Each structure stands twice: as structure tokens, then as C-alpha cells.
Amino acid sequence: MTTDLTQAGDNGRITIDLAALGENWRALAALTGPATECGAAVKADCYGIGVDKGLPALWRAGARTFFVATPQEGQEARRLLPDATLYILNGLYPGASAFYAAHGLRPVLGSAEELREWAGFASETLAPLEAALHVDTGISRLGLSREEAHAAADGTLTGSPFRPAMVMSHLACADTPANPMSALQRQRFLELSALFPGARRSLANSAGVFLGPDYHFELARPGIALYGARAAESAQSRLATVVTLEARVLQTHLLRKGETIGYGATYTATADTRVAMIASGYADGYLRSSGSTDDRPGAEVFAGGKRLPVIGRVSMDMLGIDASALGEQELARGDFVELFGANLPVDDTAERAGTIPYEFLTGLGHRYARRYVGAGSEETG
């Protein structure tokens, strides 16, 4: 009788290839060239792969400048990488200047209020505090307006001209290379960044890297491409697979023609169907929208050398697949199927679910066992 869960087996497993992560960073650094530093966006627990493993792997590959979203993420990144340059993309949280300074975190200042607070703290402490300045060029989320950027440069906002370590903006449509928005944003960025001579410039996210040298400037900050997902509508923007997600078969059974499966009875078998129930659901980050109905196909999984469709709704803890193409003996209770990975790109899974790979990678649940492979992994989860 099995009493040890390590003997009972994993419900599902995530294999994370740290060597592939390093390879992807080096490939992006080669694209940006020697005139541009290639940084790395590592927010949201390193896009779901685990910051404690991902950051050291990127550092070993050669990355030295990192971007996180929150000061708490910055604190953890500083613990892992004492010598890294760390930028906080969400900017300066109210009253948190001393926290940023204590941990060597550089806020990306995106409003007049943030700029005044940071400049005031620097004046009070007489510390040469580094920060980036975010100028809005069209995405209309965070960032100084054109007028505020001019006011920051001439000293109107803070009493003296602000001298950031870096000026940045964010591209809205770079994943669609033909979209004219990127060229418009680049022109606006050239104008506004020129207000701050001597500051480094950063415009390119992952998709921006693939737009070419005109978008690279002094610092690029790729994110999703590092983790193996497609960054733009081009085949070359998808690099080596980093994350492979697998889940266990709970049982197989026959679904007769005309019978339905799952909540809502949304999928009806058009022929006798060999069903395999898989131990993964929306509680594990496998999105409910990945399911199918009689009118709409859902996502697919990979097993036995074939892509197999998800049928019916995805439940909290399980999903059903049509395994008829494998016959009765090729997929059995306890076997694993690939939900996405080297054989089935996460981009394809996300597209079938009506979303983007970011949502799958950052939402991976804690019921999966994790295994790290590649340089520096020590094969631990």
C-alpha cells in the first residue's frame, strides 16, 4: 500500500530548461548587437518559471540589468543578485523611496507626482539616487505626457532639471510588425528622449527587438521571448522551448456517439470516442477557455506523436481529450500527456484559448511538481 506521495506519483509536472533560458538570452543579445545592452524582464516570478532559478540562470548567461514590476519583486531580485541593476516598472509607490534606496532599486518614474517625490527624497538625503523616466509615446498606460517631459527637463516640475539614468517608453503594437504605430512611437521617443542628453534609452521589449536596430537604442528589455514563447507575428521570434507542462491520465473510457461530456453538456460525440481524462484544470492555470463545444474547437494536447483535441469544458481539476487517434492501448491510466512544450508550443495553446502565452506561463499552479534541467539546475524542483 502506497503511503508516500513521492511513490504515488505527480499529478502533473513542469519541466523548466534553464540552459534554454540562457540560450534565448544570448540569442537576443546577439540580435541587439554590441552597441545595445540586452537586459531581461523577470517580473511575475520570472514569467512563472521561478525567480530563484531564473534570475541566476540569466545572470550566468550574461544579463546584468533586470526589470521587475513591484518593489517586493525588486527586493527578492536584490537578494538573489546583489550586483545587478534593478528597475521597478510600476514606478515609485507612495512613501516607499527609502525602501527603494535601501535595496538599490531604481524606480521607473511615470508621473509628475512620482518624480517630485523621488526628487524630494534625493534632496533630503543628499543621495545620488538613480532612476529611469518613463515617457508615454502612445500606449497611454503609465508615463509622462509630452508636456510633463518638457517640464521635467527644464526644471519646472522639481525646481531643477531632472537627469535620469535612463529614459524609456513602451511599444503598444510591436508584436504586429506591419503596424504603423511602432514607427510613430519611435519618432515620439526620439523627440522626448532628446530632452535628457546623456541618459540611456530603452524602447524595445521582446517584439521590439525583432523590429530591428532602429528600435534597440542603448538598452533592450526582452521578456516573453526569453521564456520560449513567440514575441511577434513572425516564426523567428520564437526561440528555444523553456517550459514543458505535462499532466497525468486519470482514466480512459468510451464516449458513445450522441453522448455529451463535462459541465453544461457543451460537447456531443459525433462518433464513438475514446476519452482520456487528464489531471489538470483551471485551478492549475489551464484556462477554462481552452475547452471546446459543438460549435467551437478548443486547445490540443500532445501524446503518442499526435495532437489530440480537448473536448468539453475544462473543469477545476480535470479536462477531457479525444484520444481515439491513438487506439485503445496507447494511452493508459498514469501516463503523461504534454499540455504544451517542445511538441506543442504554448503560443498554439494560448491561441486556441483566446488568450496569450503570458497568461498560461504566469498562471501555472502549485499542484504541479517542478523539475529544473540544464546548467545550474541541480535537477531540483
Side-chain angles (χ1 to χ4, degrees):
M1 179 177 179
T2 298
T3 58
D4 186 347
L5 281 179
T6 60
Q7 297 176 32
D10 301 327
N11 193 57
R13 59 194 183 198
I14 306 169
T15 302
I16 298 165
D17 190 337
L18 297 178
L21 178 66
E23 290 171 13
N24 288 347
W25 182 86
R26 286 188 289 271
L28 291 162
L31 281 175
T32 57
T36 301
E37 180 187 356
C38 187
V42 294
K43 55 188 178 175
D45 199 27
C46 226
Y47 284 57
I49 73 166
V51 71
D52 58 327
K53 299 287 188 179
L55 256 69
L58 288 165
W59 181 270
R60 288 191 298 270
R64 293 295 180 265
T65 299
F66 299 85
F67 295 83
V68 298
T70 70
Q72 291 82 5
E73 289 181 344
Q75 181 182 28
E76 176 63 8
R78 176 60 69 212
R79 182 186 69 80
L80 293 165
L81 300 178
D83 299 321
T85 299
L86 302 174
Y87 284 99
I88 311 299
L89 291 168
N90 279 8
L92 180 64
Y93 287 24
S97 295
F99 181 92
Y100 285 60
H103 295 285
L105 308 178
R106 299 184 179 189
V108 177
L109 305 170
S111 70
E113 293 83 359
E114 291 176 71
L115 185 55
R116 292 191 187 100
E117 183 171 337
W118 186 252
F121 179 76
S123 177
E124 291 172 7
T125 59
L126 301 178
L129 301 174
E130 301 281 14
L133 199 64
H134 187 167
V135 294
D136 178 38
T137 56
I139 198 170
S140 301
R141 301 188 310 178
L142 304 177
L144 299 181
S145 67
R146 182 178 184 277
E147 293 73 23
E148 288 171 330
H150 278 269
D154 66 20
T156 304
L157 275 181
T158 58
S160 61
F162 188 71
R163 296 291 177 256
M166 181 179 73
V167 181
M168 64 164 279
S169 193
H170 196 68
L171 294 165
C173 303
D175 56 341
T176 308
N179 196 307
M181 182 68 168
S182 295
L184 176 61
Q185 285 192 264
R186 179 182 176 276
Q187 187 57 45
R188 290 172 176 169
F189 183 65
L190 284 170
E191 174 198 340
L192 296 179
S193 61
L195 298 172
F196 305 94
R200 304 177 82 193
R201 298 168 295 176
S202 180
L203 182 61
N205 53 5
S206 287
V209 169
F210 291 96
L211 288 178
D214 286 349
Y215 290 82
H216 294 168
F217 296 98
E218 287 80 41
L219 177 62
R221 48 181 203 279
I224 193 66
L226 292 168
Y227 308 99
R230 188 174 61 239
E233 295 175 357
S234 58
Q236 66 269 29
S237 74
R238 184 172 184 272
L239 304 177
T241 298
V242 174
V243 181
T244 297
L245 175 64
E246 300 169 291
R248 190 180 291 277
V249 176
L250 295 172
Q251 69 162 239
T252 64
H253 64 266
L254 186 65
L255 186 70
R256 297 290 185 183
K257 179 180 178 179
E259 293 181 335
T260 61
I261 183 172
Y263 285 117
T266 61
Y267 180 88
T268 307
T270 58
D272 288 355
T273 302
R274 175 61 54 182
V275 172
M277 298 305 301
I278 310 301
S280 181
Y282 57 76
D284 304 295
Y286 196 85
L287 302 181
R288 188 172 183 267
S289 57
S290 304
S292 68
T293 69
D294 290 338
D295 302 317
R296 183 187 68 82
E300 297 173 314
V301 305
F302 186 87
K306 298 180 184 296
R307 290 191 177 199
L308 308 172
V310 174
I311 54 175
R313 284 185 180 168
V314 173
S315 305
M316 181 181 289
D317 310 304
M318 69 185 78
L319 58 93
I321 63 169
D322 179 354
S324 303
L326 299 184
E328 293 187 18
Q329 306 302 322
E330 291 189 44
L331 198 60
R333 172 175 170 254
D335 290 346
F336 281 91
V337 302
E338 181 182 311
L339 302 185
F340 57 77
N343 299 294
L344 181 63
V346 65
D347 312 279
D348 294 1
T349 302
E351 185 176 359
R352 289 293 190 95
T355 185
I356 54 178
Y358 300 75
E359 191 168 10
F360 273 96
L361 292 177
T362 60
L364 293 174
H366 298 291
R367 294 194 292 189
Y368 299 119
R370 291 194 172 217
R371 183 171 71 107
Y372 292 87
V373 299
S377 66
E378 299 178 355
E379 299 287 333
T380 59

